[in-house]
């Protein structure tokens, strides 16, 4: 099977934060048409592939993407339209060569991601298979439904409160099925809203649909979560509903190297002590970006000290980059990786990063970005690659639930698909 692309088209649309992003469509001669929406992060790793923004202050405060849109409609369209490709991976290779930079800053990672996602959609459509089945076939992986991680309290760069930790997630590890896990997430979310209101806290939302109360100590949020889990009739912990954290520590590390948490300045080791105390007291099973992306010695010590007890996951430090992940694995940093297609720029490179994690026995979680569209590619990606974990924000707000709902539809149509944390 080959991909014969007739038309390539991009337009500037809005993401969930009222910020411009791209929608890309690919069309074949016989009229098959696929579409992709491009996500965008706020707490980005410094080594991520580079999003192209116009910088024209007279439009969208400099955040416009007409330049990236133009690259898709001109240069990329010229390279793809009217040409035949052996596969979507072949399209990705062409995009990478055309851009020609290590960081994809010339054409823009946002331009490349949109075309790459649409190309993989197109290949699946032409093969007449579901996207997740097609991805499994290409990656040589066993499909599996993931455990969803619902971000129900937002802080850091995703909210205007004083909470330094960015994400507090519900992980219904004890749920027997994806549908039951979604139900647990939604029921605890509702109880949390009720409890926040009863205790006089605001119930306004942050960027990922979680609540953003004016609370600054992470331990106080964790206690609220444990109470809400109990209120909803679930057991806090790995047999019921556990908790995952993404402090996104690069965002609260100070120029002097200390971490500022709820008014205190902590060294790397003091912050690791704090995590240890948190794990002793609360049912936290996973910590993402517990330390800053450039604190590699701290990461080694954190993995040594806590790696047997919890999942230690790299996001900003790894940026879904196969070379960085390979180096970090050799240094025994973390035991898990967060996976985001737009951190590296193409689906092919993302699958490569995921393969490297599998081969090193690192667990992985596929992730949305804080700025999202209704695009649900990541739901198919996590199922097809059998990664076992996904985070897509709260069980609320359209752009977040688009992914969870896609998972529910996949499980409804394919009830025999296994559901569990990771390949075993
Ligand atoms: C993260 C992500 C997604 P952002 O840090 O894991 O939750 O946030 O997209 O802002 O980088
Ligand atoms: Mg993160």
């Amino acid at each position: 099977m080959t991909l014969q692309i007739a038309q390539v088209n991009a337009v500037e649309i809005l993401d969930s934060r009222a910020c411009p992003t791209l929608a890309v469509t690919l069309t074949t001669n016989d009229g098959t048409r696929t579409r992709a929406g491009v996500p965008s992060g706020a707490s980005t790793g410094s080594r991520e592939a580079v999003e192209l923004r116009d910088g024209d202050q007279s439009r969208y405060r400099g955040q416009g993407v007409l330049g990236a849109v133009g690259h898709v409609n001109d240069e990329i369209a010229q390279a793809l339209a009217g040409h035949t490709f052996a596969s979507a991976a072949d399209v990705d290779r062409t995009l990478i060569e055309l851009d020609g930079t290590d960081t994809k800053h010339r054409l823009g990672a946002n331009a490349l991601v949109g075309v790459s996602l649409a190309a993989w959609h197109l290949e699946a459509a032409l093969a007449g298979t579901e996207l997740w089945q097609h991805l499994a076939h290409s990656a040589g992986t066993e499909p599996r439904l993931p455990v969803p991680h619902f971000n129900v309290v937002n802080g850091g760069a995703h909210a205007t409160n004083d909470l330094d930790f960015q994400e507090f997630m519900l992980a219904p590890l004890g749920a027997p099925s994806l549908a039951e896990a979604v139900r647990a997430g939604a029921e605890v979310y509702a109880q949390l809203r009720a409890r926040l209101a009863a205790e006089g806290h605001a119930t306004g939302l942050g960027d990922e649909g979680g609540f953003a109360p004016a609370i600054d100590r992470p331990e106080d949020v964790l206690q609220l979560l444990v109470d809400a889990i109990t209120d909803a009739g679930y057991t806090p912990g790995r047999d019921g509903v556990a908790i995952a954290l993404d402090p996104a520590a690069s965002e609260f590390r100070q120029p002097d190297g200390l971490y500022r948490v709820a008014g205190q300045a902590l060294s790397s080791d003091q912050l690791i002590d704090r995590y240890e105390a948190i794990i002793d007291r609360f049912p936290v099973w996973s910590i993402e970006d517990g330390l800053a992306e450039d604190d590699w010695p701290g990461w080694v010590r954190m993995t040594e000290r806590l790696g047997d007890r919890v999942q230690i996951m790299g996001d900003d430090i790894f940026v879904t980059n196969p070379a960085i992940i390979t180096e970090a694995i050799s240094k025994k940093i973390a035991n898990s990786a967060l996976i985001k297609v737009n951190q590296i720029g193409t689906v092919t490179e993302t699958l490569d990063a995921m393969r490297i994690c599998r081969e090193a026995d690192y667990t992985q979680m596929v992730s949305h970005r804080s700025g999202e569209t209704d695009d649900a590619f990541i739901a198919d990606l996590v199922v097809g690659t059998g990664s076992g974990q996904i985070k897509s924000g709260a069980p609320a707000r359209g752009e977040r639930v688009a992914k969870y709902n896609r998972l529910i539809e996949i499980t409804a149509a394919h009830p025999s698909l296994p559901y569990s944390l990771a390949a075993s």
Side-chain angles (χ1 to χ4, degrees):
M1 192 198 66
T2 55
L3 270 73
Q4 289 177 300
I5 298 170
Q7 280 174 40
V8 181
N9 182 259
V11 290
E12 185 183 60
I13 61 166
L14 289 182
D15 74 11
S16 55
R17 268 197 290 243
C19 195
T21 188
L22 293 86
V24 174
T25 52
L26 295 180
T27 315
T28 60
N29 270 332
D30 69 0
T32 308
R33 187 167 176 270
T34 57
R35 173 188 180 277
V38 176
S40 172
S43 64
T44 48
S46 65
R47 297 210 271 176
E48 289 192 21
V50 176
E51 245 177 17
L52 200 61
R53 299 249 172 223
D54 298 337
D56 169 0
Q57 296 299 328
S58 69
R59 295 186 72 248
Y60 290 114
R61 296 156 64 240
Q63 297 297 303
V65 292
L66 292 180
V69 164
H71 287 321
V72 176
N73 290 335
D74 299 336
E75 205 173 324
I76 294 175
Q78 271 170 36
L80 302 188
H83 296 267
T84 301
F85 295 87
S87 60
D90 194 16
V91 173
D92 285 348
R93 267 192 298 278
T94 304
L95 293 172
I96 293 165
E97 278 168 26
L98 193 65
D99 173 77
T101 68
D102 281 349
T103 53
K104 304 188 172 70
H105 65 268
R106 194 178 75 78
L107 296 174
N110 42 354
L112 266 54
V113 168
V115 178
S116 178
L117 296 176
W120 283 83
H121 266 300
L122 186 63
E123 188 173 39
L126 295 175
T129 59
E130 294 281 334
L131 178 58
W132 60 270
Q133 287 169 321
H134 181 64
L135 287 162
H137 178 73
S138 301
T141 41
E142 285 296 317
R144 172 182 304 272
L145 290 157
V147 176
H149 285 62
F150 301 102
N151 181 10
V152 294
V153 174
N154 295 181
H158 297 167
T160 49
N161 54 10
D162 290 326
L163 187 58
D164 300 302
F165 284 14
Q166 180 179 281
E167 299 172 26
F168 294 76
M169 290 169 271
L170 301 170
L173 302 184
S177 66
L178 176 92
E180 289 298 294
V182 169
R183 182 165 78 89
E187 290 176 356
V188 177
Y189 183 78
Q191 287 296 338
L192 181 59
R193 184 201 302 268
R195 189 167 264 277
L196 284 167
E199 295 186 14
H201 293 293
T203 55
L205 304 181
D207 288 354
E208 298 191 349
F211 302 107
I215 300 174
D216 61 353
R217 290 184 69 248
E219 291 82 358
D220 294 342
V221 174
L222 287 163
Q223 188 58 53
L224 266 169
L225 290 188
V226 167
D227 292 341
I229 291 166
T230 311
D231 290 348
Y234 294 93
T235 310
R238 295 192 191 207
D239 296 336
V241 179
I243 296 169
L245 294 175
D246 178 6
S250 300
E251 298 287 324
F252 55 82
R253 193 172 200 219
Q254 307 301 300
D256 61 5
L258 296 177
Y259 294 89
R260 182 185 38 76
V261 179
Q264 283 181 288
L266 306 174
S267 66
S268 305
D269 289 310
Q270 287 170 325
L271 184 53
I272 299 169
D273 291 343
R274 182 104 174 224
Y275 291 134
E276 193 167 31
I278 282 177
I279 297 165
D280 287 342
R281 199 172 143 208
F282 300 102
V284 168
W285 94 278
S286 176
I287 303 176
E288 173 191 333
D289 281 358
L291 296 171
E293 61 166 83
D294 53 357
D295 187 2
W296 285 48
W299 274 91
V300 171
R301 293 198 300 280
M302 179 158 168
T303 310
E304 250 167 39
R305 284 183 55 189
L306 305 180
D308 289 341
R309 298 183 63 193
V310 292
Q311 182 169 261
I312 305 284
M313 182 181 289
D315 170 17
D316 289 354
I317 183 173
F318 290 169
V319 292
T320 316
N321 184 309
I324 298 173
I325 294 175
T326 302
E327 188 187 345
I329 288 170
S330 76
K331 298 202 156 98
K332 297 195 167 34
I333 282 178
N335 54 32
S336 181
L338 196 76
I339 301 292
K340 296 164 169 166
V341 182
N342 81 328
Q343 281 182 325
I344 187 70
T346 64
V347 175
T348 298
E349 292 161 289
T350 305
L351 293 176
D352 203 27
M354 297 176 92
R355 178 186 52 76
I356 290 165
C357 291
R358 273 198 307 280
E359 287 173 2
D361 276 334
Y362 272 41
T363 57
Q364 33 189 312
M365 179 189 283
V366 172
S367 173
H368 67 153
R369 298 307 306 244
S370 49
E372 268 292 338
T373 71
D374 58 355
D375 191 295
F377 190 97
I378 60 167
D380 286 77
L381 178 63
V382 71
V383 174
T385 54
S387 310
Q389 301 176 47
I390 188 172
K391 69 169 188 178
S392 174
R397 294 185 34 155
E399 77 282 2
R400 310 296 149 188
V401 297
K403 286 68 163 173
Y404 298 130
N405 287 343
R406 169 71 182 148
L407 293 173
I408 291 171
E409 284 166 13
I410 293 173
T411 183
H414 302 270
S416 62
L417 268 177
Y419 164 77
S420 68
L421 211 48
S424 50

